[in-house]
Amino acid sequence: MSPSASVCGRLAPSPTGYIHLGNVWAFLLAWLAARSAGGRVILRLEDIDPQRSRPVYTDAMLEDLRWLGLDWDEGPDVGGPAGSYRQSQRGALYAAAVQRLEAAGLVYPCFCTRRELRQLAGAPHLDDAGAPYPGTCRDLSAEECAAHRASGRKASLRLRCPSEPLCFIDLALGPQEASLVHCGGDFALRRSDGVWAYQLAVAVDDALMGVTQVVRGRDILPSTPRQLAILALLGYAAPQYGHVPLLLDGDGERLAKRHQSLAIRELRQQGADARRIVGFLGWRAGLLPVKQTASPAELLPRFAWERLPKDDQLCRREDVATFFA
Ligand code: GLU
């Protein structure tokens, strides 16, 4: 990609735990992709779920990311034209977007409970990314809605999904095509407890913040067609997406917040060196020939999409323990 000041990438951490090596891997690659194209970087806190987000993690996250040598031009601590960089404070913008979709007849209330959906879809679990939805409430009459409300049921709001396939060219994976009908069907824009859904908040924020490049883990790939649908229906241009491989633990499981031993906070407390952590990740990403120390800025001239590995990368605690300290 040629250097362009118009590239705008973003780091979008959820403050639901201390940031760990798996998060940093994706954030480092997002930062390198944007900065190596001469672009800007936004830091946005995805603290939309009040039950899961904790303020204590917010400060720790920003501090850990800076300690590693990442920086951003806009964010909750530095401000910027978007106003707030915390999703918990951007509810009015999500409400306005849903109103526009509602006015176009694209939103309907869904009275199904999680338990009912689980039974209907035979889904092992339901999460915010949306489980398969068979369209139970798609065509309820006004009387049926009123009866559900009278019985005390609260409604979530679902998007009436377009049936055409959605196509995009992924910076890491190449051409992608997905049909929303086949990947979950109509999905929630607002939960029945009033919490705005991740898909809505991310799409609206990426558009309103002028994000042109979204680099994130491959685990989020199934969400991209949903976000593309929201963007298109609201008349916004889509950013470019790049879904990078994941860091896996010794058992082949995605690194998650429960891997506390690979939390940056923990590694710092044990005396780890930031340059070693970044160098290790740069080596895993194919940007360094051997395990060596590096800062994010030193990796910049080496960043190229073609260099990134195609497969998920193993990262065992014992592999990194001796190198980090
Ligand atoms: N907030 C999400 C996470 O921490 C990332 C969402 C995204 O990049 O779109 O996993």
Side-chain angles (χ1 to χ4, degrees), residues 10 12-14 23 27 44 46 198 202 206 214-216 220 227 257:
R10 43 66 151 193
S14 303
N23 305 124
F27 293 148
R44 177 172 79 223
E46 305 217 313
Y198 156 74
V202 167
D206 283 339
V214 172
V215 175
R216 55 189 179 188
I220 307 183
Q227 293 165 22
K257 302 239 160 85

Side-chain angles (χ1 to χ4, degrees), residues 69-280:
L70 297 175
D71 65 352
W72 42 92
D73 307 290
E74 300 172 32
D77 52 345
V78 292
S84 178
Y85 291 83
R86 294 169 190 268
Q87 289 189 327
S88 58
Q89 294 172 357
R90 296 175 60 82
L93 299 167
Y94 310 141
V98 168
Q99 258 168 27
R100 282 173 58 202
L101 295 169
E102 258 170 345
L106 293 166
V107 179
Y108 63 89
C110 168
F111 297 91
C112 299
T113 62
R114 286 167 81 87
R115 177 193 289 256
E116 285 166 349
L117 289 173
R118 210 176 288 126
Q119 281 162 358
L120 276 170
H125 65 274
L126 297 174
D127 60 21
D128 210 33
Y133 178 68
T136 318
C137 296
R138 207 172 211 247
D139 298 308
L140 292 182
S141 65
E143 292 74 35
E144 285 169 315
C145 289
H148 276 308
R149 288 204 168 92
S151 73
R153 287 201 180 215
K154 291 211 171 76
S156 63
L157 295 179
R158 282 186 190 271
L159 181 73
R160 210 176 277 280
C161 283
S163 51
E164 314 78 60
L166 289 151
C167 302
F168 64 101
I169 308 223
D170 192 277
L171 290 162
L173 300 170
Q176 303 289 309
E177 182 181 316
S179 145
L180 287 171
V181 181
H182 294 121
C183 65
D186 296 347
F187 58 88
L189 300 173
R190 201 187 68 190
R191 297 189 333 208
S192 60
D193 61 3
V195 173
W196 298 107
Y198 156 74
Q199 310 291 359
L200 174 77
V202 167
V204 169
D205 284 347
D206 283 339
L208 296 185
M209 292 179 175
V211 170
T212 64
Q213 187 187 70
V214 172
V215 175
R216 55 189 179 188
R218 212 166 272 177
D219 52 331
I220 307 183
L221 184 62
S223 289
T224 304
R226 297 178 177 133
Q227 293 165 22
L228 282 171
I230 295 173
L231 290 165
L233 294 170
L234 288 171
Y236 293 127
Q240 272 199 303
Y241 293 94
H243 292 89
V244 296
L246 305 177
L247 274 194
L248 306 178
D249 69 9
D251 298 325
E253 293 238 9
R254 184 167 62 98
L255 288 191
K257 302 239 160 85
R258 71 194 153 72
H259 290 88
Q260 271 312 307
S261 63
L262 292 173
I264 300 304
R265 196 95 315 212
E266 178 93 12
L267 294 167
R268 277 179 77 175
Q269 276 158 10
Q270 288 167 14
D273 174 356
R275 290 179 54 82
R276 283 182 179 254
I277 297 177
V278 172
F280 173 85

